[in-house]
Amino acid sequence: MAHHALSKSKANQIESKEKENWLNVAVERYMAEKGNDKPKGVHIIIKEVKADCLRQTRSQIKLSRSTVLACCQGWQSIQESSSRGRWLTNAEESIVVEYAINTAR
């Protein structure tokens, strides 16, 4: 399959998914630290996760302290919340898009 530039909305989707993955990493690390005698603060965890992201993906992300803490308390991210109202799953969406591209040729 030929490679082509992504639309802005698709690029934003990918970026948002990456940020959500790193947010989950920060939440998991913070929750794991709670059990320690001297747990690291949320700011330190966020700095470490940002550094890991930069090292692995060569891109910077912004993580909010309040968002990390809210997720630790069981709040859902916007992506999780909005995914329930979708008509198609990501896999179904990809199939429909590929079909539309193939039939347009």
Side-chain angles (χ1 to χ4, degrees):
M1 186 170 162
H3 296 285
H4 56 282
L6 299 174
S7 68
K8 282 187 177 182
S9 61
K10 189 63 177 176
N12 287 342
Q13 269 184 340
I14 292 169
E15 182 182 335
S16 178
K17 192 112 179 120
E18 280 294 315
K19 183 176 178 179
E20 185 178 3
N21 289 338
W22 286 107
L23 174 65
N24 290 334
V25 169
V27 168
E28 288 172 11
R29 287 187 188 177
Y30 183 71
M31 296 297 279
E33 281 290 321
K34 280 186 169 183
N36 294 345
D37 291 337
K38 286 189 171 185
K40 294 178 185 175
V42 68
H43 287 293
I44 295 171
I45 301 281
I46 289 173
K47 278 185 180 181
E48 290 174 356
V49 170
K50 284 181 177 182
D52 289 347
C53 176
L54 184 61
R55 207 173 14 258
Q56 291 179 17
T57 65
R58 303 219 190 299
S59 63
Q60 292 183 344
I61 58 167
K62 293 182 181 179
L63 291 177
S64 167
R65 174 187 174 273
S66 59
T67 304
V68 172
L69 292 174
C71 289
C72 288
Q73 294 173 355
W75 288 32
Q76 294 178 339
S77 68
I78 293 172
Q79 290 81 10
E80 289 174 337
S81 176
S82 64
S83 68
R84 291 190 190 148
R86 296 178 66 181
W87 289 355
L88 300 175
T89 65
N90 287 339
E92 292 169 333
E93 185 179 294
S94 296
I95 292 170
V96 170
V97 168
E98 271 202 47
Y99 176 76
I101 290 171
N102 289 338
T103 56
R105 292 182 184 165

